[in-house]
Amino acid sequence: MPRALITGITGQDGLYLSELLIEKGYEVFGLIRGQNNPKLDLVKAVVPDVKLLTGDLSDVAGLTRVLSASQPDEIYNLGAISYVAYSWENASLTSDVTGKGVLNMLEATRQYEGDSTEKVKFYQASSSEMFGKVQEVPQSESTLLWPRSPYGVAKVFGHYMTINYRESYGMHASSGILFNHESPRRGPEFVTRKVTQAVARIKLGLQQELVLGNLDAKRDWGFAGDYVDAMWRMLQQPVADDYVIATGETHSIRDLLDAAFAAVGIEDWTPFVRQDPRFMRPAEVDLLIGDPSKAKAVLGWKPQVNFEELVQMMIENDLREQTALGR
Ligand code: NDP
Ligand code: GDR
């Protein structure tokens, strides 16, 4: 039975990846932080077979202990402070966790691997935010990085550290440059879920208004369930490498509003939506669109859920959830 360790087990991707690996017959270990993590019950309910170990990405000694206890064949480093807007207010903390945390995991892995001839396979959750002020359209593995937020800068550090450990120590360390991926499990601070939750509440008469920032930014949005499959495929390759994972389509926040309101039968959303500078970012990433052709050719990966289906899935979930809450 192969063993996998996932950091970021309480997050959107951690849950989907755990389900996928358990289905494939893995013994799955998850890193959980804090003395009374509020998402512990959720993890236990969704993936009861995952074995949880306590640790924090900023504590390398603790990570070393977690690796000895779990003895993983594959490590998926998904843990991060992942909310871009928050990273301006907490730049130093974001650098420590999202950036230096990757180095801590790589170093703990290198020590755990020791002189063993069996390579431990390492996945780093890199991000399209690294492209920032894009230097090429669409963005591929070779596009110049130009991050626009403390989060993006921290991800660039983690990305290059992963490549450096691969080149310096021969580690099987791969980096997935994933574009935005969403689901009914997406945190409500991210724009897709903020919109689908609010639209469901507006439809049910529980909320009157949705307040947003920049409506013109464009993102390449896919479904998280499809994207965790790409992570697994990367670690099954004989040689580690970096891959862009994206749909190759881009949509603005306005398109998202069109699709979400249309899904509940509202054609004109302008009376319900207000813009507030509070939600504008000091530096915006205006356009992201990925070129996933390498992942298609090498990993045999392609997205299964398109933008309209994704929005529909999230709206249906939020209508159910908000109906239950409103009772
Ligand atoms: P989430 O924000 O849903 O989850 C982040 C996870 O990181 C949580 O489990 C959180 O735990 C954990 N974490 C935060 N701080 C620490 C810490 N100090 N030590 C250990 N764990 C910590 O993110 P997603 O699931 O959406 O994303 C997974 C990864 O992929 C992240 O690294 C993200 O940056 C990256 N990514 C995500 C994309 C997306 O569109 N979703 C696209 C590209 C990259 P806790 O619950 O305790 O806070
Ligand atoms: P992003 O996702 O920053 O791309 O990072 P987010 O959903 O937060 O923002 C997407 C775009 O929407 C605009 N926007 C708003 N965003 C939020 N959150 N709230 C609003 O009210 C709002 N109004 C407009 C933003 O300005 C932005 O342009 C996500 C995270 O999952 C990262 O961890 C990951 O690395 C990247 O995706 C790829």
Side-chain angles (χ1 to χ4, degrees):
M1 197 185 216
R3 280 186 302 274
L5 171 67
I6 302 174
T7 73
I9 194 84
T10 59
Q12 170 187 255
D13 292 6
L15 291 176
Y16 280 109
L17 181 63
S18 301
E19 286 174 331
L20 179 83
L21 296 181
I22 285 168
E23 203 183 287
K24 289 186 183 295
Y26 280 69
E27 185 176 10
V28 179
F29 295 84
L31 183 83
I32 190 139
R33 76 188 172 110
Q35 61 185 49
N36 185 17
N37 193 306
K39 295 201 190 138
L40 183 61
D41 290 343
L42 174 72
V43 176
K44 285 184 174 164
V46 176
V47 277
D49 293 336
V50 170
K51 298 177 175 72
L52 296 170
L53 296 165
T54 303
D56 193 296
L57 286 170
S58 54
D59 176 358
V60 75
L63 297 175
T64 303
R65 272 197 302 277
V66 165
L67 286 176
S68 309
S70 54
Q71 300 277 310
D73 307 299
E74 295 177 11
I75 296 172
Y76 295 86
N77 187 35
L78 311 185
I81 291 177
S82 78
Y83 184 33
V84 174
Y86 175 90
S87 76
W88 275 279
E89 284 147 33
N90 301 276
S92 181
L93 181 64
T94 303
S95 304
D96 286 348
V97 175
T98 304
K100 173 96 184 302
V102 183
L103 174 57
N104 291 343
M105 271 310 284
L106 285 164
E107 189 51 31
T109 304
R110 184 170 80 91
Q111 285 173 22
Y112 159 67
E113 200 172 62
D115 296 329
S116 164
T117 47
E118 274 303 298
K119 291 268 168 238
V120 180
K121 293 175 176 166
F122 186 97
Y123 173 84
Q124 168 54 20
S126 287
S127 162
S128 53
E129 272 298 296
M130 301 190 307
F131 296 121
K133 187 174 175 185
V134 297
Q135 300 298 299
E136 196 178 17
V137 179
Q139 297 86 50
S140 73
E141 293 79 7
S142 58
T143 302
L144 181 71
L145 305 179
W146 197 302
R148 294 271 280 171
S149 63
Y151 168 84
V153 173
K155 280 287 178 189
V156 170
F157 175 85
H159 180 67
Y160 281 128
M161 268 302 168
T162 304
I163 294 170
N164 183 255
Y165 267 58
R166 182 167 79 216
E167 292 179 351
S168 304
Y169 306 115
M171 279 175 61
H172 192 294
S174 292
S175 179
I177 308 173
L178 271 53
F179 282 61
N180 299 53
H181 45 278
E182 320 293 313
S183 73
R185 290 178 180 156
R186 188 58 144 153
E189 66 273 37
F190 300 99
V191 76
T192 50
R193 189 76 197 287
K194 183 174 171 180
V195 166
T196 60
Q197 261 187 357
V199 169
R201 290 177 60 77
I202 289 169
K203 175 68 181 173
L204 296 169
L206 302 170
Q207 182 173 331
Q208 278 73 48
E209 189 181 53
L210 166 59
V211 186
L212 292 171
N214 179 9
L215 304 186
D216 298 314
K218 290 184 160 179
R219 290 291 181 275
D220 180 331
W221 278 298
F223 171 52
D226 291 343
Y227 285 43
V228 297
D229 175 54
M231 297 175 186
W232 176 78
R233 285 174 190 246
M234 282 178 220
L235 296 205
Q236 310 319 305
Q237 299 307 305
V239 178
D241 206 343
D242 308 318
Y243 298 90
V244 159
I245 302 297
T247 68
E249 261 188 43
T250 194
H251 296 275
S252 66
I253 314 298
R254 288 179 201 280
D255 298 337
L256 170 67
L257 289 165
D258 285 345
F261 276 97
V264 298
I266 299 174
E267 293 310 321
D268 179 14
W269 45 261
T270 50
F272 302 103
V273 176
R274 181 166 62 84
Q275 279 185 280
D276 190 321
R278 207 158 40 102
F279 293 109
M280 303 284 190
R281 298 180 178 182
E284 180 61 282
V285 172
D286 295 319
L287 165 72
L288 290 175
I289 177 165
D291 171 6
S293 39
K294 180 176 171 185
K296 270 186 192 150
V298 181
L299 306 177
W301 179 88
K302 63 174 196 292
Q304 306 295 323
V305 177
N306 70 25
F307 175 70
E308 287 74 23
E309 291 164 340
L310 174 64
V311 174
Q312 185 68 35
M313 180 200 304
M314 292 176 71
I315 285 282
E316 279 171 16
N317 169 78
D318 283 325
L319 281 170
R320 265 195 312 274
E321 265 187 30
Q322 294 301 324
T323 304
L325 285 173
R327 273 202 197 110

